[in-house]
Amino acid sequence: MEKPKRLAIMAVVFCCYVLLSGCTASDSSLVRQWPTVLSLSDKSGVFEISDKDKKVAVRAVFGMAYEIGEYVRFQDGEGVVELVFDTVIDDGDDLSLQQKLDVKDTIEGWYFNKGKKISWGKRNYIFAGEDQITTQLYRLSSGYSCIGLLQEWDHPPGDNQGNPSKIIFGYMCEKQKEPVSDKQSAEFLVAVDFQRFETYRPFLPEASRGMVDKEIMRLASGSNGFGHVDFPFDYGFPYRGGDGEDYGN
């Protein structure tokens, strides 16, 4: 189902609940405003990179009705890294991230890559147990050599569409004539260490729901050539099981 239709259905369901319960939309116990977008401290972030020359330009936590995640941009004079970690809020018991993007789609969604001719290079697949990281080399007409990645894991067995409950995607670009080297690729992959995401995720305080830092929103959703067109994403929804029943809340 397309995102606008799903959002419309969610709104109708919510309104019906309000009417049946005899409550009004102003009740603070029912009103859950989204999105939440706030600045995140480096100590609370899940992304780290080994290139110490690149400093954090923006680090944000975002939350939607069914998901929570982190966006970060690392930058130095000649290079940039942007990454997103997104996870459903119930560890995949009833929810999944329902997006149909491949690694090229995610690369094309970053404003740093938009409006430039992209020359695609080699695609590679790295396996971590049963999970897969897809990497894609590419070059921009602006003189940058780059690598993008997409990792999806924790696929709820009840989701008959095979959607994941956690994803990471992003890219690294360096101003250089030669393609991104194996050494550069390996350093980039350190930022998405699989085990760290299995044991930790960003935490959004309950009181922060519906709060939006307008400057962070501007930077992460497209400003000065950075950010992503889908930010803050809204990929998480209740899924349907193999028998057609909606297993979501």
Side-chain angles (χ1 to χ4, degrees):
M1 186 183 296
E2 296 177 357
K3 186 187 296 183
K5 293 181 180 178
R6 289 184 295 193
L7 290 175
I9 291 172
M10 288 167 57
V12 171
V13 171
F14 173 75
C15 290
C16 290
Y17 176 79
V18 170
L19 291 172
L20 291 173
S21 64
C23 298
T24 66
S26 62
D27 288 345
S28 60
S29 61
L30 292 177
V31 175
R32 300 175 66 187
Q33 297 180 351
W34 306 102
T36 291
V37 178
L38 298 170
S39 178
L40 188 67
S41 70
D42 291 346
K43 291 182 179 179
S44 300
V46 296
F47 285 118
E48 299 175 2
I49 58 173
S50 57
D51 186 348
K52 300 304 180 184
D53 290 332
K54 288 185 174 60
K55 306 301 181 185
V56 175
V58 183
R59 192 189 293 273
V61 62
F62 63 88
M64 298 299 289
Y66 298 120
E67 67 201 285
I68 186 172
E70 177 183 340
Y71 159 79
V72 67
R73 169 161 45 102
F74 300 96
Q75 202 167 1
D76 62 17
E78 295 296 326
V80 60
V81 174
E82 290 189 276
L83 289 163
V84 164
F85 168 56
D86 195 0
T87 178
V88 296
I89 58 175
D90 72 341
D91 293 323
D93 289 343
D94 296 305
L95 309 171
S96 60
L97 298 173
Q98 299 171 25
Q99 49 80 33
K100 300 299 181 184
L101 304 176
D102 68 12
V103 66
K104 285 186 177 180
D105 294 325
T106 64
I107 288 169
E108 291 171 341
W110 294 104
Y111 283 101
F112 188 80
N113 300 319
K114 295 182 75 65
K116 306 175 181 70
K117 180 181 178 181
I118 300 178
S119 300
W120 299 109
K122 182 179 179 181
R123 181 176 294 196
N124 192 31
Y125 302 96
I126 303 168
F127 290 90
E130 297 181 356
D131 298 299
Q132 175 179 291
I133 303 174
T134 304
T135 63
Q136 174 71 58
L137 294 176
Y138 62 101
R139 183 167 179 81
L140 298 175
S141 56
S142 54
Y144 283 85
S145 292
C146 311
I147 180 172
L149 68 82
L150 172 65
Q151 179 180 2
E152 302 178 343
W153 75 104
D154 274 7
H155 295 74
D159 185 339
N160 63 4
Q161 299 299 312
N163 294 303
S165 63
K166 298 182 179 72
I167 59 173
I168 295 172
F169 60 92
Y171 73 93
M172 175 186 73
C173 285
E174 299 286 349
K175 195 71 173 289
Q176 60 188 45
K177 294 181 179 180
E178 65 275 9
V180 171
S181 67
D182 291 343
K183 182 176 182 295
Q184 288 174 310
S185 297
E187 290 175 347
F188 176 50
L189 289 171
V190 169
V192 295
D193 177 62
F194 185 79
Q195 293 302 319
R196 186 162 68 250
F197 291 92
E198 283 298 291
T199 57
Y200 182 76
R201 73 182 191 191
F203 174 70
L204 252 185
E206 184 79 11
S208 297
R209 288 180 175 176
M211 293 179 62
V212 175
D213 183 316
K214 293 183 178 179
E215 177 64 10
I216 295 296
M217 174 68 89
R218 184 181 68 85
L219 293 172
S221 61
S223 175
N224 299 324
F226 299 105
H228 196 278
V229 295
D230 284 350
F231 185 86
F233 307 110
D234 198 21
Y235 295 157
F237 288 92
Y239 59 73
R240 290 186 176 276
D243 56 4
E245 291 297 322
D246 188 343
Y247 287 4
N249 295 325

